[in-house]
Amino acid sequence: MQHEPAQERRGILVPQEDELEQPPYLYPDYVGTRLRAPKEPLIILPKTLSDITGPIYGHHRPGELDNDLTRQHEGEPQGQKIIVHGRVLDGDGRPVRNTLVEIWQANAAGRYRHKVDQHPAPIDPNFSGAGRTLTDDDGYYRFVTIKPGAYPWQNHYNAWRPAHIHFSLFGRAFRSRLVTQMYFPGDPLFFQDPIFQSVRDEKARRRMISSFDLEATIPEEALGFRFDIVLEGRDATPFERPHA
């Protein structure tokens, strides 16, 4: 099945397909894909009027503090404050404007604020781990957050996920959602992480790793990391496969 070769056609964001640069639906080392991978050929669902006219950003547009995860509670969260910023671009380097960018992540101890996450790490009462913002006319976005910690998971013996932040991007409708993960440079856990390794092209994997940005770093307050997201073409950011 071929997708339309543009990052947005009639309101639907479409990632560039490449069997080595994009993760497969089934990657046996990533145990979860053994259950989620589709067992029948994929079909294209017909687009309905709600795909175009439905709510774009839910009931409310992003608020003043939605992109600053360190100011959403009464106290300051624990951990290293960081700035995560970059641009959302199409395959020709043009900005993708007014796109909803959402993030979610573990706290500095490597724990999500979710009932399913029960591993023995503290919950930070001043950190919810979720934010959102809109790209500006230059395709630019910016978040203030806390560097997440690594955490154990039960994929294989002594499995740990590298520190990462989940990114979700929308076009003009919820149906157009694309999801990826941003990692940090020099993480020692890359080699044993099947989610990261499911992108089999080394250059493509590097496109999921942010770069330290001294210019974005705030003296005595926060380290800066840049993460540009490219929606198509030879420099496309790898995106996660939707769950079946």
Side-chain angles (χ1 to χ4, degrees):
M1 181 182 69
Q2 291 185 340
H3 290 296
E4 297 177 64
Q7 101 288 350
E8 186 171 353
R9 292 292 171 87
R10 298 185 297 276
I12 304 298
L13 290 174
V14 178
Q16 177 79 6
E17 290 289 341
D18 188 291
E19 64 179 17
L20 296 179
E21 295 188 359
Q22 297 291 339
Y25 287 106
L26 176 61
Y27 189 73
D29 287 349
Y30 180 12
V31 174
T33 66
R34 301 178 194 175
L35 300 175
R36 294 199 299 256
K39 296 177 174 59
E40 301 293 337
L42 302 182
I43 61 173
I44 299 177
L45 296 176
K47 187 166 58 177
T48 65
L49 185 62
S50 64
D51 290 323
I52 301 174
T53 61
I56 306 255
Y57 306 124
H59 297 290
H60 305 286
R61 290 178 67 86
E64 179 183 357
L65 298 180
D66 282 3
N67 71 329
D68 189 342
L69 285 66
T70 68
R71 298 171 57 204
Q72 296 173 350
H73 298 273
E74 292 185 3
E76 292 188 3
Q78 298 294 313
Q80 172 65 61
K81 183 184 290 189
I82 60 174
I83 308 297
V84 176
H85 73 120
R87 299 175 70 202
V88 180
L89 306 168
D90 68 13
D92 295 319
R94 295 173 298 198
V96 180
R97 303 177 178 89
N98 201 40
T99 289
L100 178 65
V101 181
E102 297 179 324
I103 63 171
W104 65 98
Q105 62 170 93
N107 64 22
R111 185 165 178 179
Y112 288 96
R113 196 164 178 171
H114 192 284
K115 63 182 181 181
V116 175
D117 190 348
Q118 296 295 321
H119 92 276
I123 292 176
D124 189 338
N126 293 311
F127 189 74
S128 298
R132 62 180 188 157
T133 191
L134 294 174
T135 58
D136 65 14
D137 287 343
D138 199 34
Y140 181 77
Y141 73 87
R142 182 178 184 270
F143 290 98
V144 182
T145 185
I146 296 296
K147 187 175 182 181
Y151 59 82
W153 62 316
Q154 298 178 347
N155 184 80
H156 56 273
Y157 174 72
N158 204 15
W160 289 76
R161 294 254 30 233
H164 62 279
I165 296 176
H166 299 267
F167 274 73
S168 167
L169 292 85
F170 285 93
R172 298 175 190 155
F174 286 135
R175 179 178 165 182
S176 66
R177 187 185 191 200
L178 296 176
V179 176
T180 189
Q181 297 185 23
M182 184 203 88
Y183 299 89
F184 293 87
D187 197 303
L189 295 172
F190 286 150
F191 79 98
Q192 57 83 68
D193 183 61
I195 297 179
F196 182 76
Q197 294 295 334
S198 69
V199 177
R200 289 152 291 172
D201 183 88
E202 182 180 355
K203 291 182 179 179
R205 285 198 299 269
R206 289 202 295 266
R207 294 197 286 271
M208 297 188 294
I209 303 173
S210 62
S211 59
F212 173 67
D213 189 343
L214 184 60
E215 291 187 4
T217 295
I218 302 175
E220 301 183 29
E221 181 177 345
L223 297 177
F225 293 89
R226 186 175 184 97
F227 185 58
D228 292 332
I229 300 171
V230 181
L231 298 178
E232 64 169 349
R234 65 181 182 180
D235 295 324
T237 302
F239 290 95
E240 295 179 14
R241 297 290 191 177
H243 298 169

